[in-house]
Amino acid sequence: MPPETLSLGPLGVTAPILNATVLNGVLTPPLDVTQVGKWVDGARLESDSGTVLIAGHVNMSGQGNGALFNLARIRPGEFVHTSDEQGAVTTWRVTNVVERPKADGVEESVLDGPEGPRRLAVVTCGGDLEYIYHIILTVSEMADSQK
């Protein structure tokens, strides 16, 4: 797996991980829907603690479906993988997949940043064409990760 990559094994999707910044209070992933973005104020991929927050577009006009288009189809107990800058792979077990109204904001725990237990949160939009929901996938690190 190339360095700085998200692999959603159950979906057969891999995506390069770039940076996601906050513009006007909104977490902004890369414009290319085939890429995802790691929140720059969150935990680093190689960190031993904290929440790594990755976000991506579900789709975009002119680009088609994004890497996270089918995120809601992943089920608890399935595995996803990330690789850090050095190419070290971490295997994560999905613990929860939640659909939450955008009006309620993102679940606060995904914004824990470098504090707290090590985990991964992957966020995209959901809903029929209006994208009125956030799809939030949370996972915990596997003990046998190659980190």
Side-chain angles (χ1 to χ4, degrees), residues 51-75:
T51 300
V52 177
L53 174 56
I54 293 177
H57 295 287
V58 68
N59 62 15
M60 192 175 290
S61 179
Q63 293 188 53
N65 295 340
L68 301 183
F69 183 77
N70 287 315
L71 187 66
R73 293 187 179 181
I74 296 179
R75 297 290 168 242

Side-chain angles (χ1 to χ4, degrees), residues 11 22 87 100 126:
L11 303 178
V22 176
R100 179 181 170 109

Side-chain angles (χ1 to χ4, degrees), residues 16-70:
I17 301 172
L18 305 178
N19 286 333
T21 57
V22 176
L23 299 173
N24 299 321
V26 177
L27 182 64
T28 307
L31 289 176
D32 183 335
V33 299
T34 65
Q35 302 169 337
V36 294
K38 182 185 72 58
W39 180 38
V40 296
D41 291 329
R44 298 177 52 85
L45 288 165
E46 64 275 7
S47 294
D48 291 327
S49 63
T51 300
V52 177
L53 174 56
I54 293 177
H57 295 287
V58 68
N59 62 15
M60 192 175 290
S61 179
Q63 293 188 53
N65 295 340
L68 301 183
F69 183 77
N70 287 315

